[in-house]
C-alpha cells in the first residue's frame, strides 16, 4: 500500500498568476511533508446552481497554464471534463481526467475519457451506492483503460444535505480501483433556497481524518488563500495557510491505518 | 387549470414498426378517453447501468420515425437529449425536449435546449430538493424560453431506492412551470448489485393516483405491449393493455382534484 | 371495503370544556357527512422535545371526560398510552389504544395493550420500513388480539424531516390490518435547533388526498379551533373550521379509490 | 482530554458463568492495554424484532451477577433500562444507566434515571439529528444530574439501513457531554423481511477507527466468544479474541487525535 497522496488546488482556475501562486504554495507543502500532491483546478464550472455564477477561465486559456505548472513545479494535474469532445485536448496536457459526480453514468463521456489513455478519476454520484461503482469502473476498464480511480464525495441524505458513509470506502476498494476521499464536496450543502451551494468548512478535517483512518489512497481537498472571497466552493474550501498542518496529521493517521 | 394530460410510450425506440404500433394504440386510448397524449420514446439510453445494455436506435434513425408518428397520428412527441449538440436537430421534429434527471444542472445543455424555442421538460435530479428546481427553471427562462415544464421522478432515499415526496408537487408548481409526475421512474430501483436497474411495476398506479389527487398537469408513464421482454425499464413499465383503465381512473381523480 | 373513516381531535386534552366543545363540533361534521369519526386526544405528551413543554391533563382527569364524550356524543375514543401499567385502566373507557411511533417495538407495552382486548392502533416508527410492521402486528395477534390497525406517520428522511412513501400504504395492508394515514404527524418537522417540533400545515390536505387516492381505511387528523395557540402540534393541526370541506373532498377520492 | 475508554461486553447476560468468563477476558485486555473498560450487558431485550426472540435473564437474576463482576474484577458496569420503575434498583448496583435509542425522548424515563444520581448514557435515536441531543441532555441536567454521556449509534438512511455521520460526533460534543461511538449498533441492519435484525461485523473496525480519528471519549463495542451463536446481535458483535488488537490500534489513533 502506497502512502497517502493528495489532490489539491483552488476550485476553479481564476488567472495564470493565481494558479501559479497556488501551485508554488502546494509544491512547497509537498516538499516539506514528502507527500505527493496532484494540482487540481477546474477550467469550467458546468453545473453551477444558477446561470449568474462564475464559470471559469475556459479550456483554451487553462491548458497552457496547466502545462506551465507541470513544467515549473513538476506537479501532476487533474481537472474535470464535462463533454466527450473535450477529452482528447485535455488529455494532451492533464494527467488525470476527472468525471464529475452528476456525469458518472454518462457512457459516452466515460468511454471518450477512457480512450485517451489518461488516468481517469470518477466521482461517485450522490445518487449511487458504493457498490454501484463496480459498473462505472467496468465501463472504463472494458474500454481498454485500467487506470481508473474512484472518489467518494457524499451521498444524498434528505434534502440539501450529503452524508459520508465511511463503509463506502472499503466497499469501493473492492472494485480494485484506488479510492480517493473528497473532503471538500462531502461537506457541501447542495442547493437550498439560494442561488449557490453552501458548505461546512469546519467538517473538512473531521471527515478527512475519519477517511484516512479507515484507509484511502488519497484525499481530495480544495484550498484557496482566501476562501471566503473565492468564486466558487468558498464555504467548503480550506485556507491554504492551514493545509500543511492538516496534511501532516493525516499522514500520521495514514501510517497507522496502513501499518 | 387544464385537465390531466399524459406522456406515454415505450422506454426506447426499438424499430419503426414497433413505434408505429405503440403510437397507434396510444392514439386510440387518447380518442377513447378524450385525453391528451404526448408520444414518448428515447433514441439513445445514454446512462445505462452497464456498457452491455442496449442503447437504442440512434438519433438519425429515430427522427424520421418521430416525424411519421406526428403526421400519421397527430400525437405531439417528447424525447430526451443528452448533449447540447443534439438540440437543434431534435427540435426540428420533436415538440418537447426532455432533460434527463442526472443532467438537470448541466448549464450548456439547458441553454442549448432553451434556445431552440421548443418546450423543455426538465426532470428533477434524484439529488435535488423540490425547491431547487427554481434555479433550474430560471436557467431556461433567463435564456429566453418560457415554455418549461418540470417532472418529479423520485428522490434518493438510502441506497438503491427512490422515494416520492408528494409535497414536492405543489412546491415545484411554485416555479410557475406545469408539473408532471413520472410514475415509471419513480418506482425504479436504481443500481444495486446487478448490471441493470430494477423496478416495482405494482406501484406505478399507486403513485400515479396519489400524484393526480394532489394535482398535477400531467402524468408520464412508460408502457409496452410486453414489458418483461422490453430492452429497458421492463420492471417498471406497465402493459399497454392496462393503460386505458388506469388513465380513466386518473381522469376521475383529476376531476375532483381540480374541481 | 368500508368507506373512509376518520380519527380526529385536538393533540392534547386541555380541559373538560374544551374537549366537549371539540367533540360536539366533530359530532356535527360526522352527522353532516355521514362519516365515522373517532375522537382522538392525548392525556399525556410523554416524549416532548423539551422538559418545559406542556404534557397534558393526566390519565385520572382524562378518563371521565373521555367517558362523558362517548356517552354524550356516541363518538368512539382513541388515545395513546406510554406504559404497560396504563393499559387496563385506559381500556375500560377508551375504544382504541394507540401505541406511539417511538414505542412501536416495546414488547411489554404491545403485549399489555393486546391483552386488554381493546382495538390496538400502532403507529409505524419513523425508523421502520413498511414491511417491518409485519413483526409488530404479530406481537399483538400472537398475544391473542386480532383487532389491530397500523398507522403511517412518516419516515426519517435526512435530518429533521419526514417523508411519506405512499407505497408503504399497500405494503402495510399486506399485514391484514386496516391502514390509517396520519396526515398531521407526517408533516411534522421533528426536532431541529429549537425546543419544539415544527410542522407544515399546508401539506396536511396534500398528503391526505394522496393517501386516500391510494386507498386507506382511515385518516388521522389533529384539529383545533385555534391551532396557532394550541399547547402542542400547533404548526401541523388544521383549523376545525376547515375540516368539513377537507373531509368531503376526501370522501370523493375514497369513493373512486374503492370503486 | 482523557484517553479513549471502552464499553464492552456481550449483548445480553446469558448466565452467571458466561458473564464472569467474559468479564475476566475484558479485565485482562484492560490490564494489558492500560485502557479503561466498562462492562456492558443487557438483562432484558425489550424491543426485539419478534416475540419469539430471546429476551434475557431478567433484572432480578442480573443484578447480583453485575455486583459480583464489579467486586471480582473492579470493572464498572453499564446496562440499559426500559422503564422508569427499574431505575432505582438498577442504580444501586450499576454505575451507568443507559437509555435505549428508541426511548431517548421518553421524559419520565429520563427523569427517573437522572434522579438516581448515576451516570446516564443516552443513545441518540435513529430518528434524531445530532443537534437534537441538546434537548435530551437538558432533560437530564435540568433534573439535577450533570453526569450525562451521549452515544452515536447510526441514523436512519432509507429502509433497513443506518448510516453514521461522523460530523455528528463533534456536533454532539457541543452539548458538553462526553461522546461515545457505538460501533456495534451502527453497523446493524434493522428489521428487514425477517424476524431479527442483521448486521455487518466487517464494518465495526472501519467505523470505530473513523470515530476515534475524529475524536471521541469512548467506543462501545459488543463482543462475544462465539458471536454467530449468540442469542442477539450476533451478526454485529466481534469475537473477543480479536478485541485486543482492535483496541490497541484505536489507542494509536486516539493518541494522534488528541495530541
Amino acid at each position: 500500500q502506497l502512502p497517502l497522496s493528495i489532490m489539491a488546488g483552488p476550485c476553479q482556475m481564476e488567472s495564470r498568476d493565481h494558479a501559479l501562486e497556488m501551485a508554488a504554495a502546494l509544491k512547497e507543502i509537498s516538499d516539506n511533508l514528502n507527500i505527493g500532491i496532484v494540482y487540481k483546478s477546474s477550467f469550467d464550472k458546468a453545473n453551477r446552481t444558477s446561470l449568474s455564477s462564475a464559470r471559469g477561465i475556459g479550456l483554451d486559456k487553462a491548458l497552457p497554464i496547466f502545462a506551465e505548472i507541470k513544467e515549473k513545479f513538476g506537479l501532476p494535474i487533474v481537472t474535470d471534463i464535462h463533454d466527450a469532445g473535450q477529452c482528447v485536448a485535455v488529455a494532451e496536457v492533464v494527467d488525470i481526467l476527472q468525471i464529475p459526480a452528476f456525469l458518472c453514468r454518462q457512457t459516452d463521456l466515460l468511454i471518450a475519457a477512457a480512450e485517451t489513455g489518461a488516468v481517469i478519476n470518477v466521482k461517485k454520484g450522490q445518487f449511487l451506492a458504493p457498490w454501484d461503482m463496480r459498473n462505472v469502473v467496468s465501463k472504463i476498464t472494458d474500454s481498454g483503460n485500467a487506470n481508473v480511480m474512484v472518489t467518494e464525495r457524499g451521498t444524498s441524505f434528505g434534502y440539501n444535505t450529503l452524508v459520508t458513509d465511511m463503509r463506502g470506502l472499503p466497499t469501493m476498494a473492492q472494485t480494485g480501483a484506488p479510492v480517493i476521499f473528497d473532503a471538500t464536496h462531502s461537506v457541501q450543502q447542495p442547493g437550498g433556497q439560494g442561488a449557490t451551494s453552501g458548505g461546512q468548512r469546519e467538517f473538512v478535517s473531521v471527515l478527512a481524518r475519519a477517511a484516512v483512518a479507515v484507509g484511502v489512497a488519497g484525499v481530495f481537498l480544495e484550498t484557496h488563500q482566501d476562501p471566503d472571497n473565492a468564486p466558487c466552493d468558498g464555504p467548503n474550501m480550506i485556507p491554504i495557510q492551514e493545509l500543511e498542518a492538516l496534511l501532516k496529521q493525516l499522514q500520521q493517521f495514514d501510517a497507522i491505518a496502513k501499518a
Side-chain angles (χ1 to χ4, degrees), chain A:
Chain A
Q1 281 183 298
L2 295 172
L4 187 72
S5 62
I6 302 296
M7 294 183 184
C11 169
Q12 76 179 45
M13 190 174 279
E14 302 176 18
S15 68
R16 176 178 169 276
D17 283 356
H18 184 256
L20 291 174
E21 189 187 317
M22 295 298 293
L26 289 166
K27 171 63 175 165
E28 193 185 327
I29 294 171
S30 169
D31 290 345
N32 290 349
L33 299 180
N34 192 26
I35 192 168
I37 295 185
V38 180
Y39 186 81
K40 187 270 162 182
S41 217
S42 296
F43 58 82
D44 182 21
K45 308 305 295 180
N47 57 28
R48 297 301 300 265
T49 304
S50 145
L51 263 195
S52 58
S53 303
R55 286 194 51 170
I57 197 171
L59 177 59
D60 294 342
K61 286 193 184 158
L63 288 182
I65 302 171
F66 282 139
E68 189 175 352
I69 289 172
K70 280 185 73 167
E71 203 212 304
K72 198 169 259 168
F73 302 108
L75 297 177
I77 308 285
V78 57
T79 198
D80 45 326
I81 49 172
H82 320 280
D83 191 278
Q86 299 169 329
C87 295
V88 169
V90 174
E92 278 169 20
V93 173
V94 161
D95 303 274
I96 306 178
L97 301 186
Q98 183 167 285
I99 309 292
F102 291 155
L103 304 182
C104 72
R105 281 185 49 161
Q106 299 306 120
T107 305
D108 289 340
L109 180 60
L110 291 168
I111 294 176
E115 289 179 345
T116 65
V119 177
I120 310 300
N121 180 30
V122 193
K123 294 214 174 174
K124 179 167 72 64
Q126 300 86 335
F127 43 83
L128 284 190
W131 44 84
D132 293 333
M133 289 301 281
R134 201 179 44 140
N135 286 308
V136 171
V137 167
S138 294
K139 285 187 183 177
I140 294 166
T141 55
D142 290 355
S143 300
N145 187 337
N147 296 314
V148 51
M149 306 190 300
V150 292
T151 294
E152 165 67 27
R153 51 91 77 234
T155 303
S156 292
F157 178 64
Y159 291 136
N160 304 308
T161 308
L162 299 172
V163 70
T164 299
D165 182 356
M166 293 291 160
R167 296 171 301 186
L169 301 173
T171 301
M172 287 202 292
Q174 290 175 7
T175 60
V179 175
I180 309 297
F181 177 66
D182 175 348
T184 296
H185 294 95
S186 293
V187 303
Q188 198 179 40
Q189 294 180 305
Q193 302 286 359
T196 57
S197 289
Q200 302 175 301
R201 192 184 302 151
E202 69 275 23
F203 291 130
V204 170
S205 69
V206 167
L207 294 185
R209 289 195 322 250
V212 171
V214 169
V216 288
V219 168
F220 176 110
L221 271 167
E222 288 181 352
T223 185
H224 196 273
Q225 87 288 351
D226 183 12
D228 292 335
N229 293 301
C232 63
D233 274 333
N236 39 335
M237 286 200 284
I238 63 164
I240 197 163
Q241 303 81 347
E242 301 173 10
L243 186 62
E244 185 167 333
L246 172 57
L247 296 190
K248 196 169 178 178
Q249 193 190 38
L250 296 183
Q251 286 182 303
Q252 294 176 305
F253 284 120
D254 186 58
I256 299 173
K258 293 176 180 164

